[in-house]
Amino acid sequence: MSDVLQLAQSLAVAFRSLQMYTAAHPRSKDAVAAAYATLQLHLEERPRIQLVVSGARPFFNGEAQDDRSPHLAALVRQVTERGVSGFIVERGATLEEFTAFLEALGTRPPRVQELGGLESMLLAAGVKRIQITQVRYQVVLEGDEGEDAGRELNRAPSVQAPPLEDPLVKAIREALLFSLPMGPGPGAGSAEADELAFLQDFQPLHLGGLGALGAELGFGPDQPSADQVDTLGQVLSGLGPGTLLRLLAGLGTLPQDPAGLAIGAHGLAGGLLQQAVAGLLGLGADWGQLAGPVQGILDQLSDKDQVRGGLGDFLRGQGHDASKIGLLLRRVTWEDLSLEARLVKVLEDGCLFDLTLEERLAFLRELLDLGRIDDFVRVQELLLDALRQERLLRLQSAQTLAGIARWAHAPGLPPDIEGPLAEGLKANFPWEPDPPVHHWTTEALESLLRAHVKRGDLNQVISDVRELEGACAFLDHPQPWRQEAYDRLLEALRRPGALDEVVAHLHSMDRAHLASEVFPYLEFIGVPMVHHLMACLGQEEDRVKRGRLVEAIRQMGPAALPPILQALESPTWYLVRNALTLLTDIGDAGLLPAIAPLLRHPEPRVRRVAIRSLWRLCGPASEPHLIPRMKETDPGALEEVLFALGQLKSVASLPAIAEFAQDRRAMEKLRIKAIETLGAIGSPEAQAPLAELVRRRGFFTGTESSPVRLAAARALADLGTPGATSLLRSVLDAEPRGEFREALMGLIGLA
C-alpha cells in the first residue's frame, strides 16, 4: 500500500470513529492517534504535506494520485463537499490540532456553512499548523514559498482558463489545433456555431498523431511530473468546448509513446469534461445531445464513477436543474453511477425499490464502509417507512433490513443506525400480518439480539425480548406464526454459539458486571444455559475458569438441579465432583438416592466430596450409607466419614468407630482421628472403648502409644461425664512421672 493510501485509510478510520462515537471515546482516541502517527511519518521527510483536489483528481505533495481507492475517493469527497480544495499540514502540528481538524472536516456541510466555513472553525479551535486551501492547484515543495503560493481564484479549477498571454502555451495549442483532424461542421459560420455543430453528428477525434506534441511537452514513458500535467491542462483548457468534448471522446486513440502523455490526459479528464459540458450548455446545447458523448467518454475511464460524480456535483454547484442532470446521466446503468448519483436517485427520484435486493445492500454497505452515516440513516428511514406500506414494499424492506442487521456483527453498526433499526423492527413485530414479511423481520431482530450477546450487552437482550413478549400479549387475535417467531428468537439465544459467547463474558467480565449483566442473563436463558455451563465445566482444564463456571451455576439455584444430576453420570471425574459440590449448595435431602452410589466411585476425590454432600444434605439419614464405608474406603475418604459421623453425633456408629480405633493394624493417624470422633459424638457409650485405649497395660498386652493414649484422654475429657473424669484421675494415679502424666494433669486441671 502506498504512503498516501495508507494515510487516506487511517484518516477514513478516524473519521468513521468520530462519527460513531465522541472524540473523548477510547475508540475515537485510538483511531485519531493512529492517523496522527501515520501523518508524523510523512512529516519526518518534509516540513509540510499538501492534499489538493483539482476537479475530481487528488494531488498529494504535487503528485497526481490514483483515485480508484475508496478511502482516497472518500477523502476527496470529504474535502470538496465542504467547499474547499484541500489542506496543508505543517510539521509540528499537535495531536490536539489534528483532532480539531478531523472534527471540523467531519462536520456535515450545512453545519460547516452555519459556522462560517472550515477556516473559521479551525481558527476558533486555535489550530495554527493546519491550513485550509481554497486556491488554484499548486505544487508545494520544500523551500517553495513564492508570493503567488496562496493566490485565490474565484472560479472552479476545472474551468479555469490558462493565461493566454503565455506564448509557449499559445504556440503549443495552435500546433495541437493544426494537427487535429477537425474538418468543417454542418453549422459552420461562427466559433460558437462550429463548437455546437459537432453535436449534430458527434465523432471522436483520432489522436494517434499527437506523439510529437507529447515529446515537445517533455512527456516520457513514466508518470508525468506535476508541472507537465499543469502545462498540458492549460493547453487543453484553451480549446473550445465542442473540440474538447471530441478530444476526450478520443482518449483511447492516444499514442502509446510517450506513455506519460496518455497518463496525464486521463488524469485531467474529469476537470476537462466538466469544462466541456458547462461550456456547451452555456452555448445553448441540448441536454439530450450531450448524453451520448458523455457516456462514451465515461466508458473509457477507469475512474468513471468518480468522474461522473464530480460532473454531477459540478453541474449542481453551477445551479443547473437536478432533473436535467439526471437526463444527462440517465443512460448510465446503476453500477456505473457514482455514489453521489445513486444517492440522488434513491433519495430524490425514489428508485430504492426499483433495485434488486443485492443492489440495495451493496449500495448501503458502500455508504457504511465509507462512513457516510447520515446518508445511510436517510436511506434506512425509507426502508423503515416502507414497513407501514403495502405488502410488496414491506417484503422488500424486511429483506433489506435483515441484510443490514447482519452487519451488526461485522463490521458493526454505529448507534445512529442500529438504534432506529431495532426500534423499527420491534414496532413492526407484533402487528405484521404477513408470515413471509414476519419471517424476515424476525431474522433481522435475531441478528441484532445476537450482536448484543456478542458485545456483552446482555441486559439489552433481556429488555428487547421482554418488550416483544409484552407487545404480543396485548394482541386481540394472536397469530400462530407470531408465537413461532418469538420462540425462534429464544431458540437463537440458546444455540451453542450464542451460549459460548456468554461463557466468554463470564470469564472476562469483572465481578460487578457479572452480578449486573451475566448472572441475570443466565437466569433468563434458564435450563439450556445450565446444560451448556455443565458441558463447559466438563471440558475446562483451567482451575480458575472452572471456579467461575461453578459460581455461575450456583447462582441459578434449584432450576439447575436437572442438568447437575445428569452430570453425575459423566465419565469425567472432576465434572462429577463439581456437580456434587453444587448439589451440596442448592440441593436437599431428597437427593440421597442420587448421591449414595457415588460413595463407591473409582476416583477417591469424588468419593470424598460425595461423603461430604451426603451428610450435609441428608443428615442422620446418611448414617446407614456412611458407616459401612469405614471398612471399604481409602484413608482420605475414611477421614471424611469420621468427620461426618462426628458432626452428626452418630451414636449408631460408635461400635464401628471404636473397633477401628482399637485396631492396631490401622494407621495411627486414622486411629487418632477415630478416637477424636468418639469424643465429638459425646455419648457415654464411648467411655468403655476410650478407657481401654488410655489405660496402662501389662507387659504382654502392651500399652498404646503416647499419641493414642493422649487422644483417648482428650476424648474422655470432651465427654465431660463424672465417670470419664473419675477414670482420668485413676489413670493419672497409676501413671509414672513423664510427659504423658504432665499432659494428663493439664487435661484434668491439676497442672
Side-chain angles (χ1 to χ4, degrees):
M1 181 183 295
S2 69
D3 291 343
V4 65
L5 293 183
Q6 184 180 15
L7 178 60
Q9 182 176 1
S10 66
L11 288 173
V13 173
F15 281 131
R16 183 176 178 187
S17 295
L18 289 171
Q19 288 172 333
M20 294 175 64
Y21 311 99
T22 64
H25 193 281
R27 292 187 181 178
S28 297
K29 289 183 177 180
D30 291 345
V32 172
Y36 181 72
T38 303
L39 178 70
Q40 295 307 305
L41 293 177
H42 289 280
L43 290 173
E44 289 178 358
E45 303 175 358
R46 54 185 66 85
R48 65 183 65 84
I49 65 169
Q50 181 189 46
L51 176 80
V52 175
V53 180
S54 177
R57 188 74 166 177
F59 290 80
F60 182 73
N61 292 338
E63 297 292 334
Q65 302 298 318
D66 181 359
D67 52 3
R68 287 175 294 179
S69 162
H71 298 298
L72 191 54
L75 182 59
V76 168
R77 284 193 298 273
Q78 200 93 9
V79 169
T80 57
E81 287 177 354
R82 284 147 185 84
V84 299
S85 62
F87 56 84
I88 299 174
V89 183
E90 298 179 357
R91 185 184 297 164
T94 65
L95 178 60
E96 289 74 19
E97 289 180 309
F98 184 63
T99 303
F101 165 67
L102 292 182
E103 288 185 286
L105 200 57
T107 303
R108 291 184 297 176
R111 182 59 177 163
V112 171
Q113 294 178 5
E114 291 176 10
L115 296 175
L118 285 180
E119 193 170 3
S120 298
M121 294 173 68
L122 295 184
L123 183 63
V127 178
K128 298 180 180 179
R129 294 180 178 84
I130 302 178
Q131 303 171 11
I132 296 301
T133 61
Q134 295 173 309
V135 300
R136 177 178 60 84
Y137 167 73
Q138 56 176 326
V139 183
V140 176
L141 300 175
E142 187 171 357
D144 181 9
E145 299 178 358
E147 295 179 359
D148 296 334
R151 185 180 301 156
E152 296 187 2
L153 298 176
N154 294 324
R155 288 183 290 176
S158 54
V159 296
Q160 177 65 32
L164 297 179
E165 65 275 7
D166 187 331
L168 174 62
V169 170
K170 183 177 181 180
I172 294 173
R173 184 182 306 111
E174 289 176 353
L176 171 63
L177 288 170
F178 180 79
S179 63
L180 291 176
M182 306 297 289
S190 68
E192 293 184 359
D194 287 344
E195 294 298 328
L196 287 175
F198 293 128
L199 295 176
Q200 302 300 322
D201 184 19
F202 186 82
Q203 296 294 329
L205 291 175
H206 183 75
L207 308 178
L210 296 186
L213 175 64
E216 183 179 350
L217 290 172
F219 286 93
D222 300 318
Q223 182 79 27
S225 70
D227 287 338
Q228 291 169 334
V229 174
D230 190 45
T231 300
L232 180 62
Q234 293 183 46
V235 171
L236 298 180
S237 294
L239 299 175
T243 304
L244 186 54
L245 196 68
R246 293 181 67 205
L247 183 143
L248 291 171
L251 284 178
T253 66
L254 280 169
Q256 296 298 313
D257 184 23
L261 176 63
I263 296 173
H266 277 83
L268 294 167
L272 295 175
L273 181 61
Q274 294 173 15
Q275 176 185 330
V277 172
L280 289 169
L281 289 172
L283 294 176
D286 181 79
W287 288 84
Q289 289 178 309
L290 292 173
V294 168
Q295 175 64 26
I297 293 169
L298 292 173
D299 286 343
Q300 300 180 69
L301 304 178
S302 60
D303 56 347
K304 59 183 176 181
D305 284 346
Q306 288 82 2
V307 173
R308 183 182 293 110
L311 176 59
D313 292 342
F314 174 74
L315 294 175
R316 281 189 288 273
Q318 295 291 310
H320 290 290
D321 189 340
S323 63
K324 292 183 178 180
I325 298 173
L327 176 64
L328 177 68
L329 301 175
R330 70 178 180 178
R331 291 177 55 183
V332 182
T333 63
W334 173 258
E335 292 78 7
D336 291 333
L337 287 173
S338 70
L339 180 60
E340 302 304 328
R342 281 179 275 164
L343 271 171
V344 171
K345 290 183 72 65
V346 167
L347 297 176
E348 298 180 14
D349 299 342
C351 78
L352 181 60
F353 293 104
D354 295 334
L355 307 175
T356 66
L357 174 61
E358 292 73 18
E359 287 173 335
R360 286 195 296 274
L361 289 174
F363 170 58
L364 284 161
R365 183 57 183 263
E366 186 176 0
L367 291 175
L368 180 62
D369 291 342
L370 293 176
R372 304 284 291 270
I373 305 304
D374 289 344
D375 292 327
F376 191 108
V377 169
R378 292 168 68 191
V379 179
Q380 182 175 269
E381 287 174 352
L382 296 178
L383 293 167
L384 293 172
D385 287 342
L387 288 179
R388 297 187 289 270
Q389 306 301 323
E390 52 93 9
R391 179 190 179 279
L392 180 58
L393 286 182
R394 294 205 312 277
L395 180 60
Q396 291 176 306
S397 172
Q399 291 172 327
T400 310
L401 293 172
I404 295 173
R406 297 188 197 107
W407 300 336
H409 297 266
L413 296 174
D416 289 347
I417 293 175
E418 185 171 328
L421 174 60
E423 292 305 315
L425 292 170
K426 287 188 292 184
N428 172 267
F429 185 86
W431 74 265
E432 174 57 57
D434 190 65
V437 178
H438 204 264
H439 167 83
W440 288 105
T441 54
T442 302
E443 179 178 311
L445 282 168
E446 178 183 329
S447 295
L448 295 180
L449 291 174
R450 283 294 310 275
H452 283 309
V453 173
K454 187 174 184 178
R455 295 195 296 260
D457 301 331
L458 303 179
N459 283 337
Q460 185 64 52
V461 178
I462 298 174
S463 175
D464 286 347
V465 173
R466 287 179 175 164
E467 182 179 345
L468 293 174
E469 181 183 26
C472 293
F474 283 101
L475 295 176
D476 295 332
H477 302 288
Q479 300 293 342
W481 70 79
R482 191 171 289 111
Q483 183 61 44
E484 292 171 5
Y486 178 78
D487 294 340
R488 171 184 167 184
L489 293 176
L490 292 182
E491 183 60 30
L493 299 175
R494 293 167 178 166
R495 291 177 191 147
L499 300 182
D500 281 336
E501 291 167 350
V502 178
V503 173
H505 296 314
L506 175 68
H507 294 318
S508 62
M509 285 187 179
D510 56 41
R511 292 206 165 271
H513 284 88
L514 283 181
S516 63
E517 290 269 355
V518 178
F519 291 159
Y521 188 78
L522 299 181
E523 296 178 8
F524 171 72
I525 296 298
V527 173
M529 189 76 242
V530 186
H531 279 291
H532 194 76
L533 292 172
M534 293 301 298
C536 293
L537 191 59
Q539 300 170 2
E540 183 57 63
E541 297 181 358
D542 185 275
R543 184 171 177 271
V544 175
K545 290 184 177 180
R546 287 204 302 267
R548 279 262 172 129
L549 290 168
V550 169
E551 181 182 2
I553 297 169
R554 184 183 294 118
Q555 290 290 327
M556 303 190 69
L561 284 176
I564 296 175
L565 290 172
Q566 184 177 338
L568 295 180
E569 302 175 2
S570 171
T572 306
W573 70 265
Y574 56 80
L575 177 59
V576 179
R577 183 189 63 181
N578 288 326
L580 285 168
T581 301
L582 288 165
L583 288 178
T584 304
D585 294 334
I586 62 178
D588 55 31
L591 297 175
L592 187 148
I595 298 175
L598 296 174
L599 299 177
R600 294 177 173 80
H601 196 279
E603 171 56 49
R605 285 168 286 192
V606 172
R607 294 198 294 268
R608 290 196 289 271
V609 178
I611 293 166
R612 196 175 309 145
S613 299
L614 194 67
W615 77 262
R616 287 182 176 178
L617 288 174
C618 307
S622 65
E623 292 180 30
H625 300 277
L626 296 176
I627 295 172
R629 301 305 303 155
M630 291 189 58
K631 296 182 178 180
E632 302 173 5
T633 192
D634 62 284
L638 178 57
E639 285 194 61
E640 286 288 346
V641 170
L642 291 171
F643 179 80
L645 294 173
Q647 293 296 309
L648 293 171
K649 307 292 184 183
S650 174
V651 176
S653 66
L654 284 175
I657 299 174
E659 180 182 354
F660 183 85
Q662 293 171 320
D663 186 354
R664 296 188 179 187
R665 295 170 298 176
M667 294 173 56
E668 184 175 86
K669 174 185 174 182
L670 294 176
R671 293 181 65 204
I672 291 173
K673 183 66 177 176
I675 293 169
E676 292 171 348
T677 304
L678 290 174
I681 293 173
S683 171
E685 297 179 22
Q687 181 174 321
L690 291 172
E692 292 295 321
L693 292 167
V694 76
R695 285 195 182 101
R696 292 183 63 81
R697 299 183 181 182
F699 177 78
F700 293 103
T701 56
T703 302
E704 295 284 356
S705 67
S706 293
V708 171
R709 295 183 66 205
L710 186 58
R714 290 194 179 108
L716 286 168
D718 289 339
L719 290 180
T721 62
T725 304
S726 176
L727 176 61
L728 287 174
R729 287 184 177 276
S730 66
V731 172
L732 177 64
D733 292 341
E735 188 68 26
R737 291 182 179 179
E739 292 182 2
F740 180 77
R741 179 181 175 86
E742 292 177 2
L744 196 59
M745 291 178 65
L747 287 173
I748 300 175
L750 298 177

